[in-house]
Amino acid sequence: GDYEISLWWTEWASRSDNVAVEIRDGAVLLETIHINQQVNGGKWNIINTYSFTGTANIIIISTGDGTSTCADAVRFEP
């Protein structure tokens, strides 16, 4: 079904300003978005609404570029 996806992270100056987040329906990539984790931390941030036919997967990718990446929580709301 259709679910609104929200992400929660902690805001910190050392966080990456370009965190890649993959939204997948099973193995199928629906979209890759990029999040600035130096802002809007400590609250739910609505990303978008997606239609899933299988298992929803949200993959947060750390760049390893000397900055930190936070993966606190993902919320799915029908």
Side-chain angles (χ1 to χ4, degrees):
D2 293 342
Y3 289 88
E4 180 182 82
I5 306 299
S6 300
L7 301 176
W8 184 297
W9 58 86
T10 53
E11 179 179 323
W12 201 257
S14 66
R15 297 270 189 249
S16 175
D17 63 355
N18 194 29
V19 176
V21 179
E22 294 180 352
I23 292 60
R24 294 181 172 268
D25 183 6
V28 176
L29 178 64
L30 299 178
E31 183 176 21
T32 301
I33 60 168
H34 293 85
I35 303 292
N36 180 352
Q37 289 190 341
Q38 295 177 357
V39 297
N40 296 322
K43 66 178 188 170
W44 287 110
N45 294 276
I46 298 170
I47 304 306
N48 205 344
T49 299
Y50 299 92
S51 181
F52 297 98
T53 59
T55 302
N57 291 301
I58 309 301
I59 301 171
I60 300 168
I61 301 169
S62 177
T63 60
D65 63 0
T67 61
S68 62
T69 301
C70 182
D72 280 346
V74 177
R75 180 172 66 186
F76 295 83
E77 288 190 288

